Amino acid sequence: MKGQRTVKRIVWLAISAVAVSVPVWVYAQRAMDVQTLPGLTSEVQRKDAQSGEILDRKTVETGTKELQEMIALGDKLWHSRDLPMSGNGQACNMCHADGSVTHPETYPKYKPQLGHVATVQEMMGWCIAIPNQGKPYPLGSKEMNALEAYMNWNNRGQIMEIGAAPSNS
């Protein structure tokens, strides 16, 4: 009888220890995750990003509207022949109808035309400068982001297939 009480007590203590330690471990892990999020400079920003508070309904609606506007601008740029990005009257659409055959899901990848691993915006800049004989927009500009948004929107649903596996060297 006494042995059964001892076993029950040990089991109860073990369960209690797990029940107390798991939440402490989870809290500690979240605290470490919050500290390592890039681009979030203040403690408040990190906590908000971790807790989801920055994704309230108004923020989501604003983001959706802004993204729709970027995709629309990208559509206009993609099909236009008379902007500075088209020096010879060609448009992106002439080679890549509605953003097809662009494979944004495979970037970054090595591009022989550039001689290095390139981002999708670097490749778009090359296409604007060489085949279209135009003046590319700066990387990260509103126009380049719009072109990328339009291209990605047209390629939505594709499986991510980055250009290579990590080397083991």
Side-chain angles (χ1 to χ4, degrees), residues 3-161:
Q4 286 179 338
R5 284 186 193 166
T6 305
V7 170
K8 286 181 180 178
R9 198 173 281 163
I10 290 171
V11 169
W12 185 83
L13 286 171
I15 292 170
S16 298
V18 169
V20 169
S21 64
V22 168
V24 170
W25 179 82
V26 169
Y27 178 80
Q29 184 63 43
R30 284 186 179 163
M32 288 182 354
D33 290 346
V34 168
Q35 291 171 1
T36 60
L37 288 173
L40 302 174
T41 56
S42 76
E43 184 69 21
V44 172
Q45 284 178 311
R46 289 192 294 269
K47 285 183 180 176
D48 284 349
Q50 187 69 18
S51 69
E53 290 177 26
I54 60 172
L55 294 178
D56 60 23
R57 183 180 190 93
K58 184 177 180 186
T59 302
V60 171
E61 289 171 356
T62 301
T64 300
K65 183 177 182 234
E66 186 175 328
L67 180 56
Q68 289 171 337
E69 290 170 0
M70 290 296 281
I71 293 168
L73 174 60
D75 183 16
K76 177 183 171 192
L77 294 171
W78 199 271
H79 293 88
S80 182
R81 297 182 189 193
D82 57 357
L83 295 172
M85 63 181 246
S86 179
N88 60 4
Q90 291 187 354
C92 302
N93 195 55
M94 295 176 83
C95 294
H96 308 283
D98 296 322
S100 66
V101 197
T102 53
H103 304 293
E105 74 281 359
T106 64
Y107 283 87
K109 66 182 172 186
Y110 181 80
K111 293 304 292 178
Q113 303 94 319
L114 300 172
H116 65 272
V117 173
T119 66
V120 73
Q121 285 196 14
E122 288 178 298
M123 194 60 205
M124 287 189 302
W126 179 87
C127 280
I128 292 168
I130 305 303
N132 286 7
Q133 300 174 4
K135 183 174 187 248
Y137 296 106
L139 299 178
S141 66
K142 181 179 181 178
E143 293 82 5
M144 279 299 229
N145 289 345
L147 285 165
E148 185 175 6
Y150 174 74
M151 179 177 55
N152 287 336
W153 181 78
N154 277 295
N155 285 276
R156 66 196 177 282
Q158 295 297 316
I159 295 172
M160 172 87 56
E161 291 290 344

